Amino acid sequence: MKRQKRFEKLEQRPINKDVIVKEWPEEGFVAMKSPNDPEPSVKVENGVITEMDGKKREDFDLIDMYIANYGINIENAEKVMATDSAKIAKMLIDPNVSHEEVLKYTTAMTPAKGQDVICQLDFGEMIMGAKKMRERRKPANQSHVTNYIDNPVELAADAAEAALRGFAEEETTTAVSRDASFNALSVLVGSQTGRPGVLHQCSVDEATELQLGMRGLTSYAETISVYGTDRSFTDGDDTPWSKGFLASCYASRGIKMRFTSGSGSEVLMGYPEGKSMLYLEARCILLSKASGVQGLQNGSLSCISIPTAVPNGLREVLGENLLCMMYDLEAATGSDQSFSHSSMRRTWRFMGQFIGGTDFICSGFGAEPNPDNTFAGSNEDVYDYDDIHFLSRDYGQSFGIHSIKEEDAINVRRKAAKSLQIVFKGLGLPAITDEEVEAATYADVHEDMPKRDKVADMKAAQDMMDRGITAVDVIKALVDGDVKDVAEAILNLQKQKVVGDYLQTSAIFDDKWHVESAVNEGNDYQGPGTGYRLYDDPEEWKKVTDIPQVIDPEHFDM
Amino acid sequence: MSDINDLVANILKQVNNSDTASTGSTNSSSTSVSDGKQYGVKDYPLYEKHRDIIRTPSGKPLNDITLDDIQNNRVDRKDLRITAEALKMQGDVAGDAGRKTLQMNFDRAAELTKIPDDRLLEMYNALRPYRSSKDELLSIANELRTKYDANICAAWFEEAAKYYESRKKLKGDK
């Protein structure tokens, strides 16, 4: 065929590198509703759920049993299950119905009922739902802080800059798993230098992650994965009871934690049982609720290429975020893994979470250029900062971050790198040179850093664990090096673990260690004129509008 | 995930060599606040409203912990841990805010504060699929009840043992 010139050019557009597929329900390639999904049902006898979503109790698998025993508000279950799903869906966007009133219904839904309510909503209605059902009044954001070579000095500098930009949480992980303790330490020092009160985690295997938290080298955990089918869950090497116990282990050490799940994971693991992604995710959300965790990170996450390959994929993703909120859980809403070659599609990936506003819009936003993101690249990275600031300014809508001045970034990066230099010296770790401090101050990518002896660092990271180094040793090193403000911040972080205020739902800290959670700063949105509005928050609005790019009309040459 | 056992074993070794392994006797109820009072949403944040009654596991008031104490070894890692009492207070707050499952988690957690890090990690590991026989799970339940007075967690293990048997997640079921 002779090619039509316009079609030829269209074919070359980035969007056409994205892979999309036809629905294939038998293999779970269906976003919101599969012909194999059960119909919603519940039967309660003597306060016990004896039938759920078409299955009798004797046929329950471990996930069904766990959800039926712990996840559903049994008291309201029969009434709610008899309520038309469209009626519950309408309550979500009706300004006459409060957040609290909606929860009375939505916390009593079975997984199939939750799915059915979400299926009533289009994308715009889901945004309205998120506005009301988000737990914390003010949205916030989370960043990824990593680099390709686990360079500790650059990690500290990037963590400090991200903290200054307003991220409430920072997540690091490793290029090489043996670096875990160094990465946790670097982001601890960097984040508290950038802005006291920022929470941070190190995403590694379950047991190491708990261990880092026990030593005070991290302040929360998130990578506690759950799955929607029994086979997937077992392949993930846990049961609902072991995950529930792990949740309590974290709380027993005063460490904030949320679970992680996301549509498409069961497809990737090969056990979707022919069910839709939304139905399986509803099971994950209820599992999390049943475990008594305060929150959940969901929204497909690293599996995002699966739902976005099928029709209604991104509608489903916002739907699962909203369903998480409807079960009274903190929602960290993904927008993390890169998935599209198209800038337009990439932007629309987070528009629902951004305009609706969630507890953590991204989980997380790359605080480094994508080639240095060891989570395999985020949907947003450092080069998007100004685009995001413009969008916030355009829509008067919070992204949880704001513009910073170049000189402030330089100062805080240098201070973080120097603080880490002092900590390394105090703990007897391989020295950080002045040249490295200077390089990290001005660095963009890991190639800007002088080479370190990787073998020595790895040995020292292992040795640091063997010696039992904890946050207390870090504080001592900082006091010895006369960096008292950072030492004080890290001490305050430890003291917060003794009190446990930040174990409550959706908790973050401001720079004065005032906790903001669903308990004391709950979402009071109930229609126009209510709830958090960026343009009505003078301090934050100034940070978004008064940016270096702005031209003052006084300077116009008319 | 296949080398998770090695990993856990390795971590346990490190924990045993470190000063973070609590002895299980540091958490004495006589040194912590437990006045039987019910707390609620109005008491939150405890850090701002009840800092005076929050104690560390060794009974130090939170207000007394300063950089100077750290520098002069008057405070160590074990002092910077949450107590069963603080978790009960947070559980009260969660319950009052309508979050019963979160409160149940804090109730389990309160019981686990007494268990040393290494033993806690072993218990978690024992609950993972195909790790334990029914008797092994029931034996941990017994340990929880008799040694740590952890009745809720003991029931958790007993429940798991029952369902792992019927749903084939015990050692040898694979």
Side-chain angles (χ1 to χ4, degrees):
Chain A
M1 183 178 73
K2 183 178 174 186
R3 298 301 308 272
Q4 206 277 339
K5 290 190 170 58
R6 186 170 301 151
F7 277 75
E8 240 176 355
K9 283 181 187 164
L10 263 175
E11 198 179 271
Q12 299 305 317
R13 300 281 293 175
I15 187 68
N16 283 315
K17 288 187 193 150
D18 289 10
V19 177
I20 52 175
V21 299
K22 278 192 175 163
E23 287 182 342
W24 187 10
E26 294 71 31
E27 293 302 322
F29 275 94
V30 57
M32 300 193 68
K33 182 75 186 167
S34 160
N36 306 313
D37 289 340
E39 289 304 312
S41 76
V42 82
K43 204 168 174 185
V44 178
E45 292 172 77
N46 302 319
V48 175
I49 292 179
T50 54
E51 185 199 304
M52 184 173 76
D53 295 343
K55 217 191 256 186
K56 297 222 173 315
R57 191 173 175 93
E58 57 265 31
D59 300 323
F60 283 0
D61 63 22
L62 279 187
I63 297 175
D64 298 317
M65 191 64 83
Y66 193 71
I67 290 171
N69 287 1
Y70 297 108
I72 295 168
N73 180 0
I74 295 176
E75 228 170 88
N76 295 349
E78 286 186 306
K79 184 187 94 181
V80 166
M81 294 297 287
T83 307
D84 184 18
S85 295
K87 187 187 166 190
I88 299 173
K90 281 176 187 167
M91 292 169 72
L92 286 166
I93 57 169
D94 180 350
N96 300 303
V97 184
S98 70
H99 174 105
E100 289 71 25
E101 186 61 24
V102 178
L103 285 179
K104 284 182 196 160
Y105 286 79
T106 54
T107 55
M109 303 184 299
T110 64
K113 184 69 171 179
Q115 172 195 17
D116 198 38
V117 171
I118 293 296
C119 284
Q120 312 293 318
L121 302 164
D122 75 9
F123 191 71
E125 290 156 352
M126 288 174 182
I127 290 175
M128 294 298 296
K131 277 193 176 302
K132 184 156 74 187
M133 299 315 294
R134 172 182 77 243
E135 293 278 20
R136 196 189 322 104
R137 185 166 190 272
K138 190 174 166 181
N141 219 327
Q142 181 198 101
S143 63
H144 287 160
V145 181
T146 65
N147 64 63
Y148 190 69
I149 52 168
D150 291 336
N151 182 294
V153 203
E154 195 186 10
L155 281 174
D158 277 338
E161 183 189 321
L164 190 66
R165 287 181 179 275
F167 289 104
E169 284 187 352
E170 298 184 351
E171 175 181 29
T172 188
T173 190
T174 58
V176 181
S177 60
R178 286 171 67 186
D179 294 333
S181 61
F182 262 28
N183 287 23
L185 173 65
S186 305
V187 177
L188 169 68
V189 173
S191 60
Q192 298 314 306
T193 306
R195 202 272 277 170
V198 169
L199 299 173
H200 76 291
Q201 60 161 324
C202 183
S203 171
V204 281
D205 70 274
E206 262 88 344
T208 307
E209 198 161 332
L210 178 57
Q211 173 68 0
L212 291 168
M214 285 169 165
R215 290 175 179 227
L217 297 173
T218 57
S219 47
Y220 79 102
E222 171 181 83
T223 334
I224 320 296
S225 304
V226 293
Y227 306 93
T229 63
D230 186 75
R231 288 284 299 273
S232 303
F233 214 113
T234 307
D235 258 26
D237 208 13
D238 267 299
T239 74
W241 273 263
S242 67
K243 275 277 148 74
F245 188 73
L246 186 59
S248 306
C249 292
Y250 273 101
S252 77
R253 269 46 180 177
I255 304 164
K256 174 181 176 171
M257 78 98 86
R258 69 174 70 92
F259 277 0
T260 284
S261 62
S263 51
S265 61
E266 297 84 2
V267 174
L268 278 179
M269 292 172 92
Y271 308 115
E273 296 177 359
K275 306 294 196 299
S276 70
M277 297 177 203
L278 180 58
Y279 170 69
L280 294 182
E281 183 54 25
R283 284 163 66 87
C284 292
I285 295 166
L286 268 153
L287 261 163
S288 308
K289 177 74 179 173
S291 294
V293 293
Q294 61 82 31
L296 176 67
Q297 170 189 227
N298 79 351
S300 194
L301 312 174
S302 56
C303 306
I304 189 68
S305 56
I306 306 292
T308 54
V310 295
N312 273 317
L314 283 172
R315 178 176 157 235
E316 190 282 334
V317 168
L318 183 59
E320 68 181 64
N321 291 149
L322 173 59
L323 193 58
C324 171
M325 303 171 205
M326 287 158 61
Y327 282 101
D328 205 11
L329 296 169
E330 174 198 61
T333 53
S335 307
D336 47 357
Q337 179 114 350
S338 56
F339 75 104
S340 178
H341 300 84
S342 153
S343 278
M344 191 182 286
R345 199 171 182 224
R346 195 162 72 78
T347 304
W348 271 94
R349 165 68 188 85
F350 61 70
M351 283 312 261
Q353 290 76 8
F354 168 46
I355 302 298
T358 70
D359 289 322
F360 298 92
I361 296 167
C362 306
S363 55
F365 189 120
E368 59 286 312
N370 258 346
D372 266 327
N373 187 322
T374 50
F375 290 101
S378 180
N379 187 56
E380 314 82 16
D381 77 359
V382 284
Y383 302 136
D384 297 318
Y385 279 142
D386 288 336
D387 295 74
I388 297 293
H389 303 327
F390 275 60
L391 288 176
S392 275
R393 190 173 179 271
D394 288 339
Y395 292 98
Q397 192 71 28
S398 174
F399 211 88
I401 57 172
H402 48 73
S403 180
I404 57 172
K405 292 201 181 79
E406 188 176 347
E407 56 266 40
D408 293 343
I410 289 170
N411 288 339
V412 84
R413 292 181 68 94
R414 179 176 284 120
K415 186 174 174 187
K418 271 193 164 169
S419 300
L420 193 71
Q421 183 184 41
I422 284 161
V423 169
F424 268 43
K425 191 177 172 203
L427 299 180
L429 304 173
I432 293 171
T433 64
D434 291 343
E435 186 199 356
E436 285 180 274
V437 171
E438 206 55 16
T441 303
Y442 294 97
D444 176 40
V445 293
H446 77 264
E447 288 88 346
D448 298 327
M449 296 300 298
K451 291 240 177 328
R452 285 180 63 82
D453 183 343
K454 275 303 297 172
V455 177
D457 274 354
M458 232 184 282
K459 273 187 184 156
Q462 184 61 45
D463 182 52
M464 179 183 148
M465 293 304 274
D466 294 343
R467 285 191 286 148
I469 296 294
T470 74
V472 170
D473 304 298
V474 180
I475 296 167
K476 277 183 190 168
L478 285 164
V479 175
D480 284 344
D482 208 25
V483 197
K484 291 234 170 80
D485 55 344
V486 181
E488 190 79 49
I490 296 177
L491 177 59
N492 277 329
L493 191 54
Q494 309 312 312
K495 284 162 91 166
Q496 289 294 343
K497 287 188 187 171
V498 181
V499 183
D501 285 328
Y502 88 125
L503 303 177
Q504 300 287 351
T505 306
S506 303
I508 55 174
F509 291 110
D510 71 11
D511 60 354
K512 305 280 187 299
W513 297 97
H514 172 68
V515 73
E516 290 178 28
S517 77
V519 177
N520 64 333
E521 298 283 348
N523 185 9
D524 57 354
Y525 177 86
Q526 204 173 332
T530 65
Y532 180 78
R533 280 152 204 266
L534 178 63
Y535 45 81
D536 289 337
D537 181 345
E539 205 177 312
E540 276 300 310
W541 186 231
K542 191 172 186 302
K543 289 180 192 166
V544 168
T545 53
D546 190 9
I547 57 178
Q549 292 93 329
V550 171
I551 299 167
D552 191 331
E554 278 184 19
H555 301 144
F556 272 142
D557 196 7
M558 301 295 275
Chain B
M1 283 295 179
S2 59
D3 59 352
I4 198 82
N5 277 324
D6 296 345
L7 246 167
V8 172
N10 196 19
I11 289 157
L12 291 181
K13 212 172 80 201
Q14 294 162 19
V15 173
N16 285 330
N17 293 336
S18 80
D19 66 3
T20 58
S22 65
T23 59
S25 61
T26 52
N27 196 313
S28 155
S29 59
S30 63
T31 55
S32 299
V33 170
S34 182
D35 55 7
K37 187 185 162 216
Q38 275 283 316
Y39 291 83
V41 170
K42 64 177 179 353
D43 297 298
Y44 182 87
L46 300 178
Y47 186 71
E48 286 162 26
K49 297 184 178 170
H50 292 290
R51 203 182 314 176
D52 51 323
I53 58 168
I54 300 285
R55 295 281 189 280
T56 70
S58 58
K60 289 192 184 72
L62 196 62
N63 272 335
D64 286 4
I65 295 178
T66 63
L67 287 182
D68 197 46
D69 293 317
I70 299 248
Q71 199 60 8
N72 294 298
N73 299 317
R74 287 193 295 272
V75 168
D76 67 14
R77 176 72 205 143
K78 289 192 283 280
D79 278 320
L80 295 170
R81 276 209 171 159
I82 198 162
T83 62
E85 289 72 22
L87 277 163
K88 292 298 279 185
M89 290 164 80
Q90 295 293 354
D92 285 352
V93 171
D96 191 34
R99 300 191 177 93
K100 301 294 176 201
T101 59
L102 186 56
Q103 182 173 21
M104 284 164 68
N105 181 19
F106 292 162
D107 286 345
R108 293 196 297 271
E111 293 187 338
L112 300 179
T113 53
K114 297 172 197 161
I115 302 174
D117 290 353
D118 52 357
R119 187 61 190 136
L120 195 60
L121 280 163
E122 283 171 355
M123 286 176 172
Y124 161 60
N125 208 30
L127 267 183
R128 300 178 107 168
Y130 313 129
R131 298 299 203 288
S132 308
S133 65
K134 191 177 182 188
D135 282 347
E136 283 163 343
L137 290 175
L138 293 177
S139 149
I140 293 176
N142 187 50
E143 177 190 347
L144 283 163
R145 190 167 279 122
T146 55
K147 193 168 174 188
Y148 300 108
D149 198 24
N151 293 310
I152 308 167
C153 292
W156 190 261
F157 271 75
E158 285 159 358
E159 188 180 55
K162 182 174 84 178
Y163 293 136
Y164 285 16
E165 184 177 39
S166 57
R167 268 72 177 176
K168 303 275 170 234
K169 301 293 177 197
L170 292 172
K171 196 192 277 176
D173 282 340
K174 201 171 184 174

